[in-house]
Amino acid sequence: MIKVCLADNYPVVHFGVKSYFKDHAEISIVANVGNFLMVRDILLTKEIDVLILDLELEGLSSIFEVKSVLKNFPKTKIIIFSGLSEQIYAPNAIKAGVSGFIHKKEKLETLGISIIKVHQGKIIINETVKKNLALIAKQSKSERLYRKLSNREVEVLRYLSDGKKNHEIAEILKLNEKTISTYKLRLLTKLNVTNLVDLVNKAKTLEIV
């Protein structure tokens, strides 16, 4: 039996996933957590084969924290189960070491199949993501600008788009405020804009945030 922990903000997601897998022959939801701080506690006290994780989970501020979990608990595979843009976050998540990315619009059947495959050691990027990446490769240079952005730059841009100030982002990501300013300047240059308003609008147009 594959032991799974679901880490998500919303009770309705927990209820739906747990109900769906209640009588599954191969998958058992053995833990449910509502914030990132609880993830480590669960992994320390229970044997978890696969962690289903939402990138917008409360307490999770950076993909680098996910990398830390993978480093400290190498026997646990991670599948990102999120509503965030696949074309942006799936490649970055896979690069960080997670074993799969499933968008929340997918059926739970797809999630179940992915859990089994990931447990077998496979890397899962669903067909929707693959098609999106294929389409993006054919887009214009301006439409592919996001591909030049690092994981950290995408994170900073996401928080800037949420209206957070440099010092707030620095506190969230545990970085120096000057470092955030540097990332902001890089973003302005890479997305070819001159101010924060245009930066946020460009990011939204390209579905980076």
Side-chain angles (χ1 to χ4, degrees):
M1 188 67 76
I2 304 171
K3 299 179 181 65
V4 174
C5 172
L6 174 64
D8 195 278
N9 290 329
Y10 301 105
V12 66
V13 175
H14 287 282
F15 177 79
V17 172
K18 197 165 186 177
S19 297
Y20 181 83
F21 291 107
K22 183 179 179 181
D23 300 314
H24 200 282
E26 298 179 70
I27 298 169
S28 176
I29 308 297
V30 299
N32 296 77
V33 298
N35 65 70
F36 190 67
L37 294 177
M38 296 174 65
V39 170
R40 181 176 293 272
D41 292 337
I42 289 295
L43 294 179
L44 285 171
T45 57
K46 291 189 177 184
E47 182 180 336
I48 302 296
D49 298 311
V50 180
L51 171 65
I52 308 300
L53 178 68
D54 189 343
L55 286 178
E56 296 183 288
L57 181 68
E58 182 180 348
L60 174 59
S61 60
S62 169
I63 191 68
F64 293 93
E65 291 179 311
V66 178
K67 291 179 70 173
S68 178
V69 170
L70 288 164
K71 180 181 178 180
N72 293 320
F73 303 94
K75 292 183 180 180
T76 300
K77 307 292 186 181
I78 295 181
I79 293 177
I80 300 301
F81 187 48
S82 178
L84 291 172
S85 171
E86 295 170 290
Q87 64 183 40
I88 302 301
Y89 290 92
N92 285 342
I94 297 298
K95 184 178 178 180
V98 307
S99 296
F101 187 106
I102 304 298
H103 197 277
K104 284 187 172 180
K105 67 185 177 184
E106 296 290 340
K107 296 179 180 179
L108 287 177
E109 178 184 3
T110 300
L111 179 61
I113 293 171
S114 299
I115 290 172
I116 294 171
K117 289 184 177 180
V118 161
H119 184 59
Q120 295 171 344
K122 298 177 182 178
I123 303 297
I124 302 298
I125 302 180
N126 64 41
E127 288 304 315
T128 302
V129 175
K130 291 178 181 178
K131 289 177 182 178
N132 283 346
L133 292 176
L135 289 173
I136 291 164
K138 298 177 182 179
Q139 290 176 344
S140 67
K141 183 177 179 181
S142 63
E143 290 174 312
R144 290 186 283 113
L145 281 173
Y146 82 87
R147 301 180 71 182
K148 298 180 180 180
L149 304 185
S150 68
N151 287 341
R152 188 65 87 185
E153 287 168 344
V154 170
E155 290 172 347
V156 171
L157 182 52
R158 178 178 161 194
Y159 288 120
L160 286 171
S161 298
D162 286 340
K164 289 183 169 52
K165 306 297 183 183
N166 286 12
H167 69 89
E168 294 176 309
I169 300 173
E171 184 176 347
I172 292 170
L173 297 179
K174 298 178 176 59
L175 296 173
N176 187 284
E177 188 173 346
K178 290 183 179 179
T179 301
I180 301 302
S181 296
T182 299
Y183 280 123
K184 185 176 177 179
L185 288 173
R186 289 180 186 174
L187 287 165
L188 290 169
T189 300
K190 288 185 176 183
L191 294 183
N192 194 29
V193 292
T194 58
N195 59 72
L196 181 58
V197 173
D198 288 344
L199 177 64
V200 172
N201 287 336
K202 185 70 168 287
K204 291 179 178 178
T205 299
L206 299 177
E207 295 185 348
I208 296 175
V209 295

